[in-house]
Amino acid sequence: MRKSLAVCAAAAAVAGLMSAAGPAAATAGCKPQLKVLGALGPADPRDHDDDGVRDLGAGDVAVGQSAGRPVYWKGSRVHAVPLPAGRTRGEVLAVNSSGLMVGTYRDEAASTSRAFSYRIGDAAVTTLPEGESAGWREMDVNDSGYVVMDEDHGRGGLVWRDGAVVRRLALPPGSRPEAHVTYVTAINDRGDVLGTAEEIYEVPETGEQVDRWYPVVWPADGGPAKTLEPVGNSLNMPYVQDIDESGRVVGHWFHGPWYEYRPMVWDAPYEEPGGSPGLLGTFPYGTFEAISRTTDVAVGTAKYHPDNPTRPDQAQLWAGSGPVRALPRLAPDGASAAEAVTDDDRAGGSAVDAKGVRQSVVWTCATKQAYLP
């Protein structure tokens, strides 16, 4: 049985509890490496400020964005996803083990973004019905081909399969009429869906304006949605980012006015509030963006306040117990970020090189490379 976060957090205080090697099964026989992936033109570094790996598929497949366009990589070679005529901007947000990708592209004529799916070899993307929104959205896909995303203007959450909407996500029982879904961020292979909801209302007796943000898990069996604690507000928001096969949820707590982030973990059956395993070294803030399916490894980014950038951001890894550790940079003064991690111990993200250019990268044998700064 997995340890509670309270136990994990206590263990994290003892630096020697967890070696950097991580789960032996995940790292056996792999070669630690920080791989730089190919990029689309143009060569102007400013066009690559948002480049990065967003998810990792089977074998050597990675997906993400390069020069503002949706791309995938086979090995280190970059390939542009074929968008409809006249559309150039977007990103691939997720990929499953069979190579089904999902993402969004920008429709400049309509000033909207549209959700799509794509498989390697297809002539063009498949635009998903009801996947239009005013801004960019989060998306995910599991190995059964179920795709999730939040609807525009907080109307709810959508689940697609084979290009058709097959489920609409209802809010937890007892939610107020003002409640709406703000984000749908992940689905595991079991079919549990993860997201965030918000409700804004006025207390009639006092006139007080209340703004509540709360993480939500929609169970795979179609049962009622579950609210995760603690609940936040417009200044202190919980952002849940990923869910593994056991139901463990990772994300971060964001204190808006102070630009403070704290990595968070929630364990099923969510009877206790989420907790934090701690921060990376002297970094005051940090996030979790992804968790591996079955090996408990979470990755994200350690941060300083942008007004006091003592050190550049750094990709970080937590092996499920022990302290949070750093992943190597491309350059000593180059920022890095991790956004994806797999059971075979790869992590994906971005890193700035010695020339100041952001590169899309993959850390192989990530737990073997992770270190205490």
Side-chain angles (χ1 to χ4, degrees):
M1 182 176 178
R2 173 181 280 123
K3 295 183 288 183
S4 72
L5 243 291
V7 174
C8 290
V14 184
L17 268 180
M18 181 72 188
S19 75
T27 61
C30 67
K31 179 181 177 182
Q33 184 181 3
L34 176 50
K35 293 174 55 178
V36 176
L37 308 184
L40 299 178
D44 189 331
R46 293 171 296 183
D47 291 307
H48 297 276
D49 285 347
D50 295 322
D51 282 16
V53 172
R54 306 291 191 256
D55 200 9
L56 295 162
D60 60 355
V61 172
V63 299
Q65 184 181 57
S66 180
R69 288 173 278 177
V71 300
Y72 66 92
W73 293 268
K74 283 283 293 176
S76 298
R77 186 175 179 183
V78 65
H79 303 266
V81 170
L83 296 178
R87 315 295 189 255
T88 58
R89 303 194 64 80
E91 61 183 331
V92 183
L93 293 164
V95 60
N96 68 11
S97 62
S98 67
L100 177 63
M101 307 173 195
V102 295
T104 61
Y105 67 83
R106 189 70 181 166
D107 186 340
E108 298 295 350
S111 297
T112 59
S113 63
R114 297 176 182 269
F116 70 82
S117 64
Y118 178 73
R119 285 186 185 275
I120 295 174
D122 289 352
V125 301
T126 297
T127 301
L128 298 176
E130 301 186 54
E132 184 176 0
S133 64
W136 300 109
R137 287 288 187 263
E138 298 287 341
M139 294 184 71
D140 199 14
V141 58
N142 70 6
D143 278 356
S144 296
Y146 288 94
V147 178
V148 295
M149 179 177 152
D150 50 287
E151 289 189 82
D152 197 17
H153 302 299
R155 290 196 300 266
L158 295 174
V159 183
W160 290 273
R161 194 165 191 270
D162 297 327
V165 175
V166 296
R167 183 183 177 189
R168 297 181 187 275
L169 301 172
L171 287 161
S175 295
R176 298 180 63 90
E178 303 89 350
H180 60 276
V181 175
T182 53
Y183 301 101
V184 175
T185 48
I187 182 171
N188 61 16
D189 285 339
R190 191 170 61 187
D192 302 315
V193 181
L194 178 66
T196 305
E198 179 189 23
E199 55 188 31
I200 304 174
Y201 60 94
E202 183 177 288
V203 179
E205 295 78 11
T206 64
E208 177 191 4
Q209 191 85 1
V210 178
D211 186 357
R212 299 175 72 245
W213 287 67
Y214 48 97
V216 178
V217 170
W218 290 271
D221 62 9
K226 172 76 172 179
T227 298
L228 280 58
E229 298 288 344
V231 171
N233 56 47
S234 59
L235 299 181
N236 301 284
M237 303 178 188
Y239 283 92
V240 287
Q241 298 294 88
D242 204 4
I243 184 168
D244 74 2
E245 292 311 300
S246 75
R248 171 170 274 192
V249 169
V250 299
H252 43 270
W253 200 266
F254 176 59
H255 299 275
W258 307 276
Y259 203 78
E260 297 176 2
Y261 294 85
R262 187 166 186 83
M264 295 285 290
V265 180
W266 291 260
D267 281 330
Y270 318 116
E271 294 172 352
E272 298 180 1
S276 178
L279 299 163
L280 175 64
T282 60
F283 281 92
Y285 313 127
T287 71
F288 283 153
E289 307 291 344
I291 187 169
S292 59
R293 295 181 181 184
T294 65
T295 59
D296 284 345
V297 179
V299 297
T301 304
K303 297 174 175 285
Y304 275 86
H305 194 285
D307 292 339
N308 183 29
T310 306
R311 298 168 61 195
D313 290 356
Q314 183 157 14
Q316 63 181 18
L317 177 149
W318 183 57
S321 63
V324 176
R325 296 176 180 266
L327 287 170
R329 302 177 185 271
L330 268 182
D333 296 323
S336 60
E339 298 190 48
V341 64
T342 63
D343 278 357
D344 63 0
D345 207 26
R346 290 174 294 146
S350 61
V352 175
D353 64 19
K355 296 180 179 180
V357 180
R358 183 171 296 277
Q359 304 284 354
S360 301
V361 299
V362 172
W363 292 267
T364 58
C365 306
T367 55
K368 285 187 176 180
Q369 297 192 60
Y371 66 94
L372 289 174

